[in-house]
Amino acid sequence: MRPQATVVLDGFGTLESLRWHDGALWFCDFAHGTVHRWDTLGEPETVLEVPGRAGGLGWLPDGRMLVVSMDGRRVHRQEPDGSLVVHADLGDLAGGPVNDMLVDGQGRAYVGNFGFDYHGFVRQRPNAMLYAPPGPTRAPLACLSPEGELLGLSEPLVFPNGCFLIDEGRTLLVAETLAMRLTALPVLPDGRLGPPRPWAPLVPAWLWRSLNSPGLRGRITRRVSSLLDHQAIADRSDTPIAPDGIAPGKDGTAWVANALRGECVRVGPGGTILGRVATSQRTLSCLVAGPRGDTLYAATVPTDDPERAAQLDGARLEAYVLPS
């Protein structure tokens, strides 16, 4: 039996971007465009409304908050007086909604985007049909200076999503959600990102080759894989894993929020599965944090479609205390 997380908050649209900051858990509800703070004891407070759906979160060294406007394709900055100003406009760079974001200790921000209208596609066709050649449109990570200036773009990635720093800040680990893998990119001295390298595949190699095949094998694989769109079938499978949010684990490992099914998965370099914690719904973000730093938090959703999610308000925050 897998350990099971417990629901601690519910009634949200789509929870994303779990962050621990200044003694509290922060998160976005991108279905309703809000940012929330929760001290883990009372009720969460709504601290900000963001035009164009709130996405990734982070803080500059001086304490000002950065928050992504997904549909606005911008990064906003909250000033000390509470006003919201444009930190960076990514409209000319992003091929789809701007997504998750990491802000490092120097105030540099690494921001991903969908690359295309993902939700528009999957409302009409099974998710597996994204892999019919030439496959999903790729998108780079934008590297921003603390002042919001563009430092550079990474090489194009397959739906770059959650990320965090490893190797004492010398490497950025990023979830390529639609490639079903974790990828490492070196952080150059000027803050730009170097060439990507594989860190952990989360889909069997034979399945990945078949899924992307242009011939009959590919068409059959995509048809069979489309069954994973049925949640009851996805819940009974262990593979593949579609990494959405990711967070540091112990001993150089990563916790992965699996967007395909209700679980967080602990992954080691090379893709070794070291543990799983079950959640009640598909997971979009995870974080090991809390007052004692020993709690795995998971943001779970009945759907990641923002239109349906705003109607359902079925997103939950779940928690599991990790064994010492």
Side-chain angles (χ1 to χ4, degrees), residues 14 84 102 118 134 145 195 202 204 208 222 270 305 321:
T14 307
L84 206 59
L102 170 78
Y118 168 77
S145 75
L202 300 173
W208 182 246
R222 290 188 287 274
D305 185 308
V321 178

Side-chain angles (χ1 to χ4, degrees), residues 146-159:
E147 295 74 35
E149 298 173 351
L150 182 68
L151 296 173
L153 300 173
S154 74
E155 292 187 19
L157 302 169
V158 187
F159 208 102

Side-chain angles (χ1 to χ4, degrees), residues 114 116 118 127 130-131 136-137 158-160 175-181 208 211-212 242-243:
F114 288 17
F116 64 104
Y118 168 77
N127 189 79
L130 284 164
Y131 299 98
T137 303
V158 187
F159 208 102
E176 289 188 88
T177 302
L178 294 182
M180 292 173 280
R181 66 188 174 212
W208 182 246
L211 194 61
N212 291 274

Side-chain angles (χ1 to χ4, degrees), residues 112-296:
N113 77 89
F114 288 17
F116 64 104
D117 182 5
Y118 168 77
H119 289 113
F121 184 99
V122 298
R123 286 177 187 134
Q124 304 296 325
R125 286 149 289 192
N127 189 79
M129 298 309 161
L130 284 164
Y131 299 98
T137 303
R138 295 177 178 236
L141 285 167
C143 314
L144 304 177
S145 75
E147 295 74 35
E149 298 173 351
L150 182 68
L151 296 173
L153 300 173
S154 74
E155 292 187 19
L157 302 169
V158 187
F159 208 102
N161 211 326
C163 52
F164 65 85
L165 292 166
I166 59 174
D167 300 334
E168 297 181 339
R170 296 189 299 271
T171 303
L172 184 75
L173 191 65
V174 59
E176 289 188 88
T177 302
L178 294 182
M180 292 173 280
R181 66 188 174 212
L182 304 184
T183 298
L185 299 93
V187 178
L188 304 178
D190 63 1
R192 293 179 300 118
L193 297 172
R197 61 175 174 83
W199 194 84
L202 300 173
V203 58
W206 66 267
L207 178 56
W208 182 246
R209 289 192 299 269
S210 297
L211 194 61
N212 291 274
S213 173
L216 178 63
R217 181 178 68 169
R219 291 194 294 274
I220 292 173
T221 303
R222 290 188 287 274
R223 181 66 61 86
V224 173
S225 296
S226 68
L227 295 174
L228 290 174
D229 285 0
H230 300 281
Q231 199 59 52
I233 295 175
D235 288 342
R236 286 167 172 77
S237 175
D238 285 336
T239 186
I241 296 167
D244 195 316
I246 60 175
K250 288 183 178 180
D251 304 321
T253 63
W255 279 102
V256 172
N258 188 355
L260 287 178
R261 62 188 68 89
E263 63 178 1
C264 294
V265 186
R266 185 168 167 250
V267 177
T272 303
I273 305 302
L274 301 170
R276 297 177 189 257
V277 173
T279 60
S280 66
Q281 305 177 110
R282 289 184 289 164
T283 53
L284 298 188
S285 184
C286 61
L287 183 68
V288 178
R292 293 181 297 276
D294 62 352
T295 302
L296 174 67

Side-chain angles (χ1 to χ4, degrees), residues 60 62 64-66 76-85 87:
L60 295 170
D62 62 10
R64 289 177 296 171
M65 182 169 65
L66 300 183
H76 288 281
R77 184 180 67 246
Q78 188 179 37
E79 295 296 282
D81 64 1
S83 61
L84 206 59
V85 301
H87 185 70

